[in-house]
Amino acid sequence: MTNTPQFLGRSVFDLDDYSAAEIMYILEAAKGMKEINLREYKKIPTLRGKTICTLFIENSTRTRMSFELAASRLSADVVSFQANISALSKGESLQDTVYTLDAMGIDLYCIRHSSPGSPQLVHKYSGKPVINGGDGRHAHPTQALLDIFSIWEKLGDIRGLKITIVGDILNSRVVRSNLIGMRKLGAEVTVCGPRTLMPSYMEEVYGCKVQYDLQTALQDADVVMGLRMQLERQTEGLFPSLEEYTKHYVLSKHTIRYAKKDALIMHPGPMNRGIEILPEIADSQQSIIVEQVANGVAVRMALMFLILGGKV
Ligand code: CP
């Protein structure tokens, strides 16, 4: 595996900053990292002496743990910021928090925050590269990269694939980053959900198709991705009840038959089983939901390696 200067010191705020060729380069690097993850001895010394901080100010299981595992597999030191037991809970600002952490010698920040634009602020305060692990409803670029990697690994070239993303489009940062990445690589993406959870600008801004009818949206899809119903972000009563949502949009054996026979089933997690997806589909042979999580470690290793100029 070789490193390349164009990634050195670069932040990952969202995928619009990255060209199709650069995204493919990251996927190739992640493929190499996955091979390391499959070895009996999974650790390599490439980032020895570097310090990576996971600055998570919103809850997470997958993203946080896979950033920390990725850093550890590359032999970096990891500082894990716990918002609820930090001075942030005593009223310290994000700016002073970053100044404090930075004084201890951080080389790279991986951040999650409920406010869009927080990763850019951390970069401004620290001058260090920042990887966005999810900022409000805005972006989740590493989730998109691992999703695209998972599809590429199974189906090869992304160009021309029919990908259908179903669910709470309005509140999803995952769908926004995925649309940018998938469209750059030439996929035909359809988003599907209730009108009240569908922003009016989707076609114009992202170049995707919009469908409100699940059966039509799933027709001939190569890939079907369910999204979590983001109950914590819904304050406006945008649909009558969860039962109503499930009746029209759940991914089940019954609804999935409109997609291609062996269509990949994906979900970024965490899942609301029984609401947006039934276990019969989430745990089926077609599902790659668990593999998505495994691939998240490889993709985050690749980014850390490229940004910090790891040596092999
Ligand atoms: N997909 C995702 O971002 O999951 P977590 O919230 O568990 O990190």
Side-chain angles (χ1 to χ4, degrees), residues 56 59-64 112 133 140 143 173-174 268-270:
F56 273 51
N59 295 344
S60 164
T61 298
R62 280 145 278 263
T63 312
R64 178 189 200 115
R112 169 168 292 187
H140 197 346
Q143 180 68 46
R173 55 194 174 205
V174 172

Side-chain angles (χ1 to χ4, degrees), residues 154 224 262-267 271 273 277-292:
K154 294 282 179 199
V224 180
D262 298 320
L264 299 180
I265 308 296
M266 304 178 70
H267 194 299
M271 286 183 275
R273 285 173 182 262
I277 191 165
L278 296 188
E280 65 191 20
I281 285 300
D283 305 324
S284 68
Q285 293 281 325
Q286 284 170 261
S287 168
I288 59 164
I289 294 170
V290 175
E291 281 175 76
Q292 284 174 262

Side-chain angles (χ1 to χ4, degrees), residues 18-302:
Y18 285 79
S19 67
E22 287 172 333
I23 292 172
M24 286 312 301
Y25 195 94
I26 295 167
L27 302 192
E28 291 286 359
K31 192 172 159 191
M33 293 300 173
K34 187 160 181 180
E35 281 162 22
I36 293 165
N37 281 335
L38 294 173
R39 287 184 201 158
E40 191 181 351
Y41 185 73
K42 300 178 173 68
K43 206 156 169 149
I44 55 170
T46 180
L47 291 185
R48 190 176 285 159
K50 300 287 185 187
T51 304
I52 294 175
C53 176
T54 49
L55 180 54
F56 273 51
I57 303 166
E58 191 187 80
N59 295 344
S60 164
T61 298
R62 280 145 278 263
T63 312
R64 178 189 200 115
M65 294 192 77
S66 67
F67 270 128
E68 293 181 358
L69 204 50
S72 162
R73 296 238 164 115
L74 298 172
S75 303
D77 294 321
V78 183
V79 181
S80 180
F81 179 83
Q82 308 279 349
N84 59 335
I85 53 164
S86 73
L88 204 67
S89 65
K90 298 183 208 167
E92 187 162 48
S93 66
L94 180 64
Q95 186 170 9
D96 282 332
T97 301
V98 174
Y99 287 164
T100 303
L101 292 167
D102 221 50
M104 299 185 216
I106 305 297
D107 296 297
L108 169 69
Y109 290 90
C110 306
I111 176 178
R112 169 168 292 187
H113 201 292
S114 55
S115 297
S118 304
Q120 285 87 340
L121 280 180
V122 173
H123 175 63
K124 186 177 154 193
Y125 298 146
S126 67
K128 301 288 165 41
V130 174
I131 305 179
N132 182 3
D135 58 334
R137 293 170 175 170
H138 172 234
H140 197 346
T142 60
Q143 180 68 46
L145 286 169
L146 77 88
D147 291 339
I148 294 169
F149 177 87
S150 303
I151 297 169
W152 176 66
E153 191 182 43
K154 294 282 179 199
L155 302 180
D157 196 0
I158 303 292
R159 183 162 298 280
L161 289 179
K162 287 187 191 298
I163 302 175
T164 300
I165 306 180
V166 184
D168 180 356
I169 307 297
L170 178 68
N171 291 296
S172 176
R173 55 194 174 205
V174 172
V175 78
R176 284 170 181 67
S177 292
N178 257 313
L179 277 166
I180 294 169
M182 289 170 175
R183 293 287 299 133
K184 279 192 182 200
L185 297 183
E188 293 174 26
V189 189
T190 300
V191 291
C192 176
R195 282 178 194 275
T196 48
L197 296 177
M198 184 69 73
S200 57
Y201 52 76
M202 294 306 290
E203 284 162 312
E204 191 185 339
V205 172
Y206 295 104
C208 60
K209 290 184 192 154
V210 172
Q211 272 293 343
Y212 304 105
D213 175 62
L214 183 61
Q215 179 179 331
T216 313
L218 292 178
Q219 210 73 47
D220 293 328
D222 298 289
V223 178
V224 180
M225 182 186 295
L227 294 175
R228 184 170 70 89
M229 186 54 69
Q230 300 205 22
L231 305 169
E232 76 280 16
R233 294 192 211 276
Q234 284 169 17
T235 51
E236 300 160 51
L238 291 175
F239 54 91
S241 67
L242 286 178
E243 289 75 21
E244 194 73 18
Y245 176 83
T246 302
K247 187 173 148 195
H248 294 288
Y249 294 103
V250 73
L251 298 178
S252 65
K253 267 188 191 165
H254 175 72
T255 56
I256 212 70
R257 67 200 155 106
Y258 297 106
K260 282 197 178 144
K261 188 168 163 284
D262 298 320
L264 299 180
I265 308 296
M266 304 178 70
H267 194 299
M271 286 183 275
N272 295 306
R273 285 173 182 262
I275 294 177
E276 69 257 1
I277 191 165
L278 296 188
E280 65 191 20
I281 285 300
D283 305 324
S284 68
Q285 293 281 325
Q286 284 170 261
S287 168
I288 59 164
I289 294 170
V290 175
E291 281 175 76
Q292 284 174 262
V293 178
N295 290 337
V297 179
V299 164
R300 291 174 177 116
M301 284 171 77

